[in-house]
Amino acid sequence: MNPQIPQLTPAQAADRTEAVVLDVREAAELTEGRIAGSTHIPLGQLSARAFELDRARPVITVCRSGGRSSQAAQFLAGQGYDVANLDGGMTQWIAEGRPTV
């Protein structure tokens, strides 16, 4: 069973201020910039660290281009999280001139 994961544009993701932004890139990639306030858990560690996420808040997954974050979103949806994916990842976020830290 493969639930359909909502795909958010950067503008939609930025408007979801109640959500946890989960960055699943590797630590070395964070030097390219990250979304302010985002939580960093690399995809390879997510199964062991998903408990760190607040189940009461929706989660928006993000990576460089959207591939790994889609995998993360599928995993979290299977664990019962309310999850969406940032379509185009950080590449699209930055292309639209959205702020990074």
Side-chain angles (χ1 to χ4, degrees), residues 29-47:
E29 293 176 274
L30 299 182
T31 59
E32 300 164 16
R34 59 189 284 189
I35 297 170
S38 62
T39 297
H40 177 240
I41 301 177
L43 180 60
Q45 298 176 20
L46 186 57
S47 61

Side-chain angles (χ1 to χ4, degrees), residues 15-84:
D15 286 344
R16 300 270 309 266
T17 54
E18 79 288 0
V20 175
V21 176
L22 176 64
D23 194 322
V24 298
R25 295 176 296 165
E26 295 302 314
E29 293 176 274
L30 299 182
T31 59
E32 300 164 16
R34 59 189 284 189
I35 297 170
S38 62
T39 297
H40 177 240
I41 301 177
L43 180 60
Q45 298 176 20
L46 186 57
S47 61
R49 294 179 58 195
F51 71 90
E52 296 175 27
L53 298 169
D54 182 352
R55 284 188 178 274
R57 294 175 65 192
V59 177
I60 299 171
T61 54
V62 59
C63 67
R64 180 183 287 142
S65 62
R68 286 170 290 174
S69 57
S70 289
Q71 293 175 40
Q74 291 287 353
F75 170 77
L76 290 172
Q79 301 297 309
Y81 287 87
D82 173 11
V83 65

